[in-house]
Amino acid sequence: MSLNVTLQRAWLHGQMRLWLLLAWQSRALECTAQLLQVAPDDVHALATRAHVLAGLQQTAEALSCQTRVVALRPAEAQGWFNLGFLCEAAGDPAQAVSAFTRAIELDQRLDRAWYGLALALMQTGRDEEARQALLRNTELQPMSPHGWCQLARLHVRCREHEAAQRIVEHLRSFDPRMARRLQLEIASACPGP
């Protein structure tokens, strides 16, 4: 790679970061397009492009970029996590399960991948596997209410109302607002006495 190309890439990466910092997505996309003309396999540009496009609800193109990212860097868990997120957004939970599973194989401690896997599994009706993924997520992130809420919803779906109520009680200890919302949600979903 010539010095001129190296400097051009460095300049464009700097510009891309600036536009992202300023939340000017269209400018950031222009920079990623220019970077990919100079270096078609620039993983950072591809990943950034996928992220910005996902935020703009352009899921198909974002998915295409992120697929290239994992093809270029198959051993990076974060790339597979992002691919799973995009597959889920594209309405393909089976592919999301595959991508999240690969991310977890690469990094067992990636709590967000366990959470994403659980949501995708729930969409495919694989409730027991989803339960195990949510338990792992809450083990890794015990103070994050999101995994707990999904676990409670899964309990309700499986007609395990007492288990769901125990989660509400647990949430009260560190996120009372979320506990109240979840309590109302459970109350409307569960049959009364």
Side-chain angles (χ1 to χ4, degrees), residues 11-41:
W11 170 256
L12 288 169
H13 273 281
Q15 289 294 304
M16 182 176 65
R17 285 185 191 96
L18 174 64
W19 298 131
L20 289 172
L21 186 65
L22 296 172
W24 288 11
Q25 287 84 1
S26 61
R27 294 289 183 127
L29 285 176
E30 289 172 16
C31 284
T32 62
Q34 291 172 2
L35 271 163
L36 293 171
Q37 285 177 345
V38 173
D41 292 338

Side-chain angles (χ1 to χ4, degrees), residues 98-173:
S98 294
F100 288 130
T101 299
R102 183 66 185 130
I104 291 165
E105 288 169 354
L106 293 167
D107 184 356
Q108 287 281 315
R109 297 199 50 81
L110 189 56
D111 58 278
R112 293 168 297 145
W114 286 103
Y115 182 78
L117 175 62
L119 296 182
L121 288 166
M122 287 169 67
Q123 289 178 34
T124 60
R126 296 161 62 184
D127 290 347
E128 190 51 42
E129 291 170 85
R131 180 189 320 265
Q132 296 309 311
L134 285 168
L135 288 171
R136 181 66 176 138
N137 170 259
T138 56
E139 179 184 317
L140 292 169
Q141 280 294 339
M143 301 304 284
S144 173
H146 305 291
W148 291 109
C149 287
Q150 288 301 332
L151 187 56
R153 290 178 183 118
L154 183 60
H155 283 309
V156 168
R157 183 160 121 176
C158 295
R159 301 181 191 279
E160 300 164 349
H161 305 298
E162 289 178 20
Q165 192 57 48
R166 283 192 300 272
I167 290 174
V168 170
E169 294 306 318
H170 175 68
L171 276 173
R172 279 196 179 103
S173 68

